[in-house]
Structure formats: C-alpha cells, structure tokens
Amino acid sequence: MRVAVLGAGAIGAYVGAGLHRAGVEVHLIARGAHLRAIRTSGLKVLSARGDFEVHPYATDNPEEVGPVDHVFLGLKANQYAAAGPMVKPLLHDTTTLITAQNGIPYWYFHGLPGPLRDRRIESVDPGGTVSRALPVRRAVGCVVYAATEIEQPGVIRHLEGTRFSIGEPDGTTSVRCKEFSAAMVAGGLKCPIEPDLRDDIWIKLMGNIAFNPISALSRATMASICRHREARELVVRMMTETLEVASALGCTPRISIERRLAGAERAGEHKTSTLQDLEKGKPLELDVIVKAVVELADLADVQVPTLRAIGAVADLLNEQLTAA
C-alpha cells in the first residue's frame, strides 16, 4: 500500500510516522526546514507512549511520488481549494482522499438521505472550488482526536490522543476504509470506522466552535476560558446552539456539554490551533468551524444569535489579519 501525506506538519507527520512503522510505503510532502530535517536525519516522534524514529520518503514535489492508494490531507481546510495541483499527480482511478480537517467538511451532505442530499455548503466549498479540487467521490472523512506539535524541524511531540475516526459519507463500511484503518492500527494508532461519522464531527465541533474563536479574540488558553465565569457561560451558549443545529439535521452527538467542558479543562494552558495561527500571522480556519454552522442553522431554521455574533467579530479579525 502506498500512502502520501500532503501537508506533513504536526498531525500529518505523526500519521505518516505511524504508517511507516507499520510497513506502509509512506511519502511525506512537506517543505522548508522540516523537510530538510526529515531528509537528513529522519522523523522523530517523542511521546509518553514511547519515542521512535522512522525514515520515510520526503519531498516537496508530488510529481516525484506519483499515484498512491491513499492521500492523507494534513492541510488546513482553508487550503483545500488550492490543493488541486498538488493532489492531481497523486491520483489513480481509485485513490482515496482522507480528509482530516476541523469543522464541517465539504462532503457533509454527499450521499445523505433527505431533502439536503448532495447540497453544497457555500461557506465550506465556495463556488464549488473545493469539490473540484478534491472530488467528493474520493473523500473519506476523518475526525482527529490527537494533539501533536512540531517541537523542532523533523521532531514531532505527541501530546495526547491516538484516535483518528474515519467514515464514508454514505455510512457504508468500505474496503478502502478497512484497508486504511488496518494500516493505522498496525502503526499503533486508533482508527475506528464509524457509520455515523457526522456525530463525531459535531462532538469535536462543539469544542472548536467555542474555544477557537474565543481564544483568538481573547488570546486566552482553553483552561483560562473555562476558569472565567462569563466566558464559560458564553461557551455553554455556543455549544447549546451548535447541538440544536446538529439535532435539526438529524445528528445526536453522544456527549454532554459539561463533559465537553471537562475535557477542555483537562487540556490545561493549551492554545487552540486558531490562536496559534493568529500568533503566526496565518489566516484563521474559521469558515468551516463557525460560518458553516451558521449557514446550516439558516438551512434548518434554527436561531443561533451567539454563534452569529461571535462569528462576525472573528471574521472581522480574520479580514484584518489577511489584509495586513
């Protein structure tokens, strides 16, 4: 089995390292100092579960890799629309795209029974740019429950979690999912195939939709937000509205708001990915997290005043950042 990891950053490289350890032919597509370090000294993973080192193929040119069986997308969702030229050399007729992203995925309504079947979500797939770059028929969803960071070029620090839940948009248990899941498990990672992956999407989204924009607006860590009474109440309102949208669309995430908050508190003084991007001057990955849920709320006729207000201010922040 041949796998390419497009965007071999903290999460992508961690997945690639696990797959390589399982004996999979892995090609990491990275850039800059990180790529140079991997080529020179290999890829090191530091973890409480045990440190290890691998030496996978690494390049910044997908043309050198050629067609593979699975492409793990380690990109931010706001990079998907521009990824077409990088993805194209990696495809054969049945290549799978493992779409490991935060928020609402571009394939959300693909194959979903009901009046919204195959509907395109404009805030996620504006003008169809993403679905043209990454054909929906190739997509397998992936919800990431692992936390990692690049400690230094070529070195990944695994912080917590090893679960990468995957699933077909139509809910079937496909051969391609079984193949990828088995390789992940062989590499020491958890990779359950979920027939109701959309429930997992909403569970993770409950945290992202509240903590990510609030952290960017306040520069606060997750624990700091939880400790602040009014901010905590704001998080609860945002999570409540999110669950109302999920319910209106037929999803019932199996987790309570208090349990979700407890998990955030356990993360401690952790900076969300959105806050980290803000500090680095990068565009904020908020359209698929906040704006998409507001769009879905309008489709489902659900009132989300808190999400709408926070989303507007966060979007203004993002505009100021990208204009600078």
Side-chain angles (χ1 to χ4, degrees):
M1 185 170 74
R2 302 183 85 232
V3 175
V5 177
L6 180 57
I11 286 293
Y14 179 61
V15 168
L19 290 171
H20 188 276
R21 189 164 60 164
V24 174
E25 183 185 331
V26 175
H27 298 261
L28 302 183
I29 300 170
R31 60 186 180 181
H34 190 49
L35 171 61
R36 291 192 293 272
I38 295 170
R39 281 176 160 172
T40 302
S41 306
L43 178 63
K44 299 177 181 66
V45 175
L46 307 179
S47 172
R49 303 176 71 241
D51 301 344
F52 65 97
E53 181 178 318
V54 294
H55 294 264
Y57 300 101
T59 182
D60 58 0
N61 182 8
E63 296 276 359
E64 295 179 0
V65 178
V68 298
D69 301 305
H70 304 280
V71 178
F72 183 91
L73 294 172
L75 306 170
K76 296 280 189 180
N78 53 17
Q79 298 173 309
Y80 275 19
M86 295 287 283
V87 169
K88 188 174 180 180
L90 303 172
L91 303 179
H92 57 55
D93 289 345
T94 60
T95 301
T96 305
L97 301 176
I98 309 294
T99 59
Q101 63 160 95
N102 286 325
I104 299 294
Y106 70 100
W107 53 260
Y108 187 87
F109 287 118
H110 180 62
L112 189 66
L116 296 176
R117 182 186 180 97
D118 296 336
R119 185 184 180 98
R120 182 171 54 80
I121 305 171
E122 184 64 26
S123 52
V124 173
D125 186 12
T129 52
V130 175
S131 50
R132 284 195 294 273
L134 308 172
V136 177
R137 68 178 178 82
R138 296 183 181 274
V140 163
C142 179
V143 179
V144 178
Y145 291 98
T148 59
E149 62 184 16
I150 298 177
E151 186 160 293
Q152 64 185 63
V155 180
I156 302 299
R157 171 71 65 178
H158 171 240
L159 303 172
E160 63 177 352
T162 60
R163 183 154 66 99
F164 295 78
S165 298
I166 64 172
E168 291 283 355
D170 65 3
T172 58
T173 302
S174 63
V175 171
R176 63 186 185 177
C177 279
K178 289 179 180 178
E179 179 182 66
F180 187 77
S181 174
M184 292 280 278
V185 171
L189 304 173
K190 296 178 181 177
C191 190
I193 302 170
E194 300 289 354
D196 299 314
L197 189 68
R198 290 174 182 84
D199 284 351
D200 281 63
I201 289 169
W202 287 102
I203 288 172
K204 186 169 185 188
L205 185 55
M206 283 172 65
N208 289 150
I209 205 167
F211 289 104
N212 287 44
I214 291 174
S215 69
L217 294 166
S218 66
R219 310 302 200 273
T221 64
M222 292 176 71
S224 297
I225 294 168
C226 289
R227 285 194 300 266
H228 190 278
R229 184 172 61 83
E230 288 86 356
R232 187 184 183 98
E233 291 172 356
L234 180 60
V235 168
V236 170
R237 290 200 300 275
M238 295 175 76
M239 287 186 176
T240 299
E241 291 178 5
T242 301
L243 287 176
E244 289 172 356
V245 177
S247 178
L249 294 173
C251 286
T252 53
R254 298 178 297 278
I255 193 169
S256 67
I257 289 175
E258 281 305 314
R259 185 178 168 193
R260 198 68 182 82
L261 279 167
E265 286 180 296
R266 285 195 300 273
E269 304 306 326
H270 173 68
K271 295 181 179 181
T272 68
S273 58
T274 303
L275 177 53
Q276 292 178 50
D277 285 344
L278 177 68
E279 292 178 341
K280 295 172 184 174
K282 294 181 178 180
L284 307 182
E285 188 188 31
L286 290 176
D287 285 356
V288 297
I289 292 174
V290 185
K291 191 177 289 187
V293 176
V294 172
E295 182 177 342
L296 294 179
D298 290 340
L299 285 175
D301 196 24
V302 176
Q303 299 303 308
V304 289
T306 313
L307 294 179
R308 199 177 296 275
I310 294 295
V313 180
D315 190 53
L316 178 60
L317 172 63
N318 198 26
E319 282 191 10
Q320 299 300 309
L321 184 67
T322 54

